[in-house]
Amino acid sequence: MRSLFSQRLLGLLLFFSLLLFGCVTTPEQSEEEEKWSMPIWPKPPDQPRYMHEFTLRRATDIEPRKTSSALTGETANEQVVFAKPMRVAASGGRIYVTDSLINRIHCFDIPRRRFFQFGFRFEGAIKKPTGIAVDKEGFVYVSDSADHRVIVYDSFGMFHRSLGNADILERPVAVTVSPDGEEIYVVDSKGVGSLIHRIVVLNKDGEVIRTIGRRGNQPGEFNMPNDISLGPDGNLYVLDAGNFRVQVLTRTGKPLRHWGSNGNGLGQFARPRDMVVDKDGLIYVADAMFGNIQIFDNEGRLLLPLMERDMSDLPGKFGLMAGIAVDETKRIYVLDQYFKKMEIFRPLSDKEGKEILAGTSPLLKLLEKPASRR
């Protein structure tokens, strides 16, 4: 079996042999072309608002390498950890990712430079993790669509309690929590052939407080809803994927407004996969068909589209976009199921964006480096 090192060496030799014989050309880029190729969005001549910060695939992306295997030449923590990353939540430097193929939750603990997994032991064992949320105390809520419940863990992945059962929840696919922790909002969507497309509101003991909505396309009705967030205005934001729209409701379920339609234009949706509302009330919607994120204000006005669908596996390019999250620093976390990666983008200040356009930013040297070396 050819080692990974041998494969890389062979590739380098092939490249240099082609280069020597004139089969590879490397035309110089103009200064404007270099700005376009940098991992910043939007692209010049518009002022950049976000930059690619890092890509996570392996435990070694944040923690030291361990002893390597004599068979493969790789350490256990050098292997790609994702199988089918679904949803992501980030808070306080910890990034949690549900993985519905291996039925675990991954955690990248950035401050402690540690990676760990949970959701596979004893009463905390999960059958099909889908949605995920973190409350202000650091407790992690995970919807288990196969076991009809929401499992609550502490920030280190230890089982805390279980909410719901098959009598209450049919197929929970997403979850969010009120700021005081008293109400848990669960998207319960059984599937295409079912009439159960609703929001179930539980108290912290797992008892039903109320249900919101039914299947349909009228205000307050849902068709294949797949995510939910509580905005800083106290309202519920629901990604009503089968109706290609975002709905805004009060916490008691009164419809307030909605926006979106099926299409490939700006502000439209084709395959909306996930949604999140940040601390300032901006709404981010990930669309797997476009491979992008559209950012709206809370009235549904499109502010900015980011990223694109592409099969080149470069920063800001996605083969099959899945879950997204935004943390308290307004960093954006994006999952890709095709390339089995998570990309992190940080916002640029107004000053930083203007300096990049002017060519005077100290970030320019950093942006020129490969993503793995940032």
Side-chain angles (χ1 to χ4, degrees), residues 183-185 199-203 207-212:
E183 293 188 340
I184 297 91
Y185 299 83
I199 311 300
V200 178
V201 187
L202 307 175
N203 64 20
E207 300 167 336
V208 177
I209 301 173
R210 59 186 172 275
T211 60
I212 299 172

Side-chain angles (χ1 to χ4, degrees), residues 62 89-96 107-114 327-329 333:
I62 63 166
S91 178
R94 291 193 182 99
I95 311 164
Y96 301 94
C107 179
F108 292 86
D109 189 339
I110 305 298
R112 298 171 67 223
R113 294 191 64 194
R114 182 187 169 205
D327 70 8
E328 62 275 10
T329 70
Y333 302 80

Side-chain angles (χ1 to χ4, degrees), residues 149-165:
R149 62 176 180 159
V150 173
I151 306 175
V152 186
Y153 305 89
D154 69 16
S155 60
F156 296 104
M158 300 299 293
F159 174 81
H160 186 258
R161 67 187 192 276
S162 179
L163 307 172
N165 53 50

Side-chain angles (χ1 to χ4, degrees), residues 28-48:
E28 292 186 1
Q29 288 182 309
S30 69
E31 183 178 341
E32 197 63 29
E33 287 172 331
E34 285 180 355
K35 287 180 183 178
W36 270 93
S37 65
M38 287 181 180
I40 53 177
W41 294 269
K43 300 293 186 180
D46 293 325
Q47 181 177 322

Side-chain angles (χ1 to χ4, degrees), residues 175-187:
V175 61
T176 195
V177 189
S178 64
D180 59 9
E182 294 294 323
E183 293 188 340
I184 297 91
Y185 299 83
V186 184
V187 176

